[in-house]
Amino acid sequence: MIGSARAVAGPNIALIKYWGNRGDPALRLAANGSISITLDSLWTEVQVTFDESLRADSLRVNDQAADAARLARTHGFLQTIRRFASLECYASVESRTNFPIGAGIASSAAAFAAMAMAAGHAAGLQLELSELSRLARLGSGSACRSIFGGYVEWIAGASDQTSQAEPLFPPNHWELVDLIVLIDEVHKPVGSTEGHALASTSPLQPARLADASRRLDACRRAIRQRDFAALAQVVELDSNMMHAVMLTSTPPLIYWQPATLSVIDRVVRLRQDGAAVCYTIDAGPTVHCLCAPQDADSVSSALAQLKGVQRVLRASPGEGARLVDGAA
Ligand code: DP6
């Protein structure tokens, strides 16, 4: 055996979204910067073992052999690590999550952040967090943000060397709650990787990009000042703008289910009634409802009652990716 390491990382929820790449899609150079919160109660743990006796890369997810598409994506990522480390041998990868895969929670961010850290360490590379962020980005764009904890910004940059995340504020800067409202899925959504490739077909994408630095500034300022009303305004605008681009792509991408709209409607009314809550939606029907801790119980039970809502998970700002001891 050459080396083995295990790392854990949490998913993140984007407050300002990454949607669309520039240039070679394999490099995942985001068309715009993004800001997210790394989440604490959901995690993915990945063990990577490089071993000369292996005849191929292998991937097990929650104790089951992964499907061909997941294995191919992991193999591609391991090829990058082997190139960096001048390694020739294959690896076995064991991944475990404490949240259901395919339940509408983006799992690739946590998986590739943990995999970058575990594989980099197992391959003997001594990488700074900024280098790990760039490496994780090659596996999944949003994974570059999960390397860091708390409030994180992905600086879009102009090249492979300059497109990386950096921490903005630590987890305890502002203890918001993310209520993750899982919705019954009728259709399997188109994955984000295919979605990013369609962004430039929307006539609305240029307008979304032209306004991105203003939204990033507004979001950074709202977080710095812990100004919930300002945060709600920019977060909902940014999510709506991304979904407007999705809806007007060729072919159109419609990620919302009827219950997604019911949740949006309820969140807006709860806010009018005085609760500090706002919504944001990634590439799926799941709605993330950010709220103040004192409003979390009442908002959660109001949303759980809506038709088409499966269940509501809860998370808060958490730590970035980290190595853990022992075998998986
Ligand atoms: C809507 O990072 O999942 O969640 O790089 O192809 O893996 P790949 O895409 P991914 O895209 C995330 C899209 C999003 C917005 C965001 O998280 O910023």
Side-chain angles (χ1 to χ4, degrees), residues 228-241:
F228 195 88
L231 186 79
Q233 195 174 24
V234 71
V235 163
E236 291 186 354
L237 171 67
D238 189 83
S239 175
N240 291 344
M241 284 177 95

Side-chain angles (χ1 to χ4, degrees), residues 12-21 25 28 32-36 73 106-109 112 136-145 154 191-196 208 238 242-243 246 255 281-284:
N12 63 74
I13 177 61
L15 307 176
I16 301 295
K17 312 287 188 190
Y18 148 51
W19 197 245
N21 287 308
R28 292 180 159 86
N32 62 282
S34 53
I35 293 179
S36 59
R73 191 165 171 179
S107 49
S108 64
F112 280 101
R137 192 198 76 231
L138 298 172
S140 174
S142 54
C144 76
R145 299 187 306 236
W154 173 3
S192 345
T193 305
E194 295 115 287
H196 289 296
R208 182 184 159 272
D238 189 83
M242 180 184 72
H243 286 273
M246 292 164 161
Y255 284 110
I281 303 164
D282 281 344

Side-chain angles (χ1 to χ4, degrees), residues 57-75 92-96 101 111-112 115:
D57 290 327
S58 66
L59 171 64
R60 290 178 73 77
V61 179
N62 291 338
D63 291 324
Q64 307 223 317
D67 62 32
R70 277 212 177 91
L71 177 59
R73 191 165 171 179
T74 297
H75 170 74
S92 69
V93 179
E94 294 268 351
S95 164
R96 259 174 231 285
I101 298 206
F112 280 101
M115 206 185 302

Side-chain angles (χ1 to χ4, degrees), residues 78 106-107 226 246 260 264 276 291-292:
L78 291 167
S107 49
R226 302 184 189 90
M246 292 164 161
T260 310
I264 292 176
C291 62

Side-chain angles (χ1 to χ4, degrees), residues 262-283:
S262 308
V263 175
I264 292 176
D265 177 60
R266 201 63 223 273
V267 163
V268 171
R269 282 191 291 128
L270 287 164
R271 191 165 63 242
Q272 281 162 358
D273 292 344
V277 58
C278 67
Y279 66 83
T280 183
I281 303 164
D282 281 344

